[in-house]
């Protein structure tokens, strides 16, 4: 699956970042990677709403001038992603200590803050913070900022993982359904697959008893 087909279902940019590998299994390293190249990263970032087309052009130009900067941004993104996932597992109570992950995010966040600026919002408007004043590092800088914002404010009651034990993919998402009943990352995907599997199992069991 190319990044352009990857579903964006997390309900928050930092969760969509976590969901760029599948399946999402704690501790696993043999996942399917959707962000292979700096170009994948830009493609996904545009679709996820991380940056706009004009910003993507600046980033592309910066990476064209220095391909090493593109590789570095991709590596930083992977690092932010895995640290965010680890920290969220701890928030969910699935792992005890997220101190090493938070340390990684702290360092990345400090660097991102150093590349941010306060700009006037215009007459009668509040001041704005612009993260990503350095195009080459804009993508990981914005992602770590999103991750920190989520980790600081997440309402754990709404944070869910698509259930691996029932054949789901482990992706994380915010459940904003009215009755808090969303179980799958996407019903038409993991939910439908699990339903089909249960049906097959029932048929098999029925056949075995006749
Ligand atoms: Zn799923």
């Amino acid at each position: 699956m190319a990044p352009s087909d990857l579903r964006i279902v997390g309900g928050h940019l930092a969760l969509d970042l976590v969901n760029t590998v599948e399946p999402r299994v704690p501790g696993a390293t043999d996942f399917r990677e959707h962000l292979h190249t700096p170009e994948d990263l830009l493609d996904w970032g545009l679709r996820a709403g991380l940056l706009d087309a004009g910003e993507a052009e600046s980033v592309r130009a910066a990476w064209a001038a220095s391909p090493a900067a593109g590789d570095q941004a991709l590596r930083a993104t992977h690092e932010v992603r895995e640290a965010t996932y680890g920290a969220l597992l701890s928030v969910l109570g699935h792992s005890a200590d997220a101190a090493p992950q938070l340390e990684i995010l702290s360092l990345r966040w400090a660097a991102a803050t150093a590349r941010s600026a306060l700009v006037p919002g215009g007459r009668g408007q509040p001041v704005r913070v612009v993260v990503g004043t350095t195009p080459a590092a804009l993508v990981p800088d914005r992602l770590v900022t999103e991750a920190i914002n989520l980790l600081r404010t997440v309402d754990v009651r709404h944070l869910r993982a698509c259930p691996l034990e029932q054949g789901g993919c482990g992706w994380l998402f915010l459940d904003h359904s009215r009755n808090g009943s969303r179980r799958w990352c996407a019903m038409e995907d993991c939910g439908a697959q699990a339903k089909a599997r249960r049906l097959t199992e029932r048929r098999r069991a029925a056949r075995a008893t006749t």
Side-chain angles (χ1 to χ4, degrees):
M1 207 193 288
S4 55
D5 303 322
L6 186 67
R7 281 171 300 114
I8 309 261
V9 296
H12 191 285
L13 253 162
L15 296 177
D16 293 327
L17 172 67
V18 165
N19 299 342
T20 55
V21 305
E22 60 185 316
R24 246 314 171 193
V25 183
T29 50
D30 58 340
F31 43 63
R32 189 153 150 224
E33 173 65 70
H34 287 281
L35 302 177
H36 281 293
T37 64
E39 195 52 40
D40 288 345
L41 187 54
L42 264 190
D43 180 23
W44 170 82
L46 271 167
R47 289 186 56 236
L50 180 72
L51 72 180
D52 64 30
E55 290 168 331
E57 269 322 302
S58 317
V59 173
R60 196 170 278 120
W63 290 353
S66 162
D71 293 337
Q72 210 178 329
L74 183 65
R75 265 201 311 280
T77 297
H78 288 165
E79 191 184 73
V80 167
R81 180 181 68 191
E82 297 315 305
T84 303
Y85 180 51
L88 285 167
L89 286 179
S90 175
V91 166
L92 277 166
H94 296 181
S95 68
D97 182 11
Q101 286 88 355
L102 293 180
E103 199 179 316
I104 290 170
L105 292 174
S106 293
L107 290 171
R108 291 275 176 204
W109 184 41
T113 306
R115 289 186 288 262
S116 299
L118 284 171
V119 297
R123 269 178 90 92
Q125 294 300 318
V127 166
R128 289 189 307 124
V129 175
V130 175
V131 177
T133 55
T134 306
L138 180 149
V139 172
D141 282 358
R142 285 208 181 152
L143 287 171
V144 74
T145 306
E146 290 287 338
I148 301 277
N149 285 341
L150 177 71
L151 286 164
R152 281 171 50 234
T153 60
V154 66
D155 184 341
V156 183
R157 289 169 303 175
H158 294 298
L159 183 62
R160 309 229 190 296
C162 187
L164 283 163
E165 60 283 1
Q166 279 137 57
C169 64
W171 277 8
L172 302 183
F173 59 88
L174 291 173
D175 177 8
H176 287 310
S177 64
R178 193 177 304 199
N179 51 3
S181 63
R182 182 172 159 198
R183 288 182 60 215
W184 308 98
C185 64
M187 193 57 215
E188 66 275 16
D189 219 309
C190 285
Q193 277 172 33
K195 206 163 149 191
R197 225 175 5 254
R198 277 200 305 276
L199 199 65
T200 312
E201 279 160 20
R202 264 207 300 277
R203 282 192 188 131
R204 201 174 290 144
R207 231 174 290 140
T209 52
T210 51

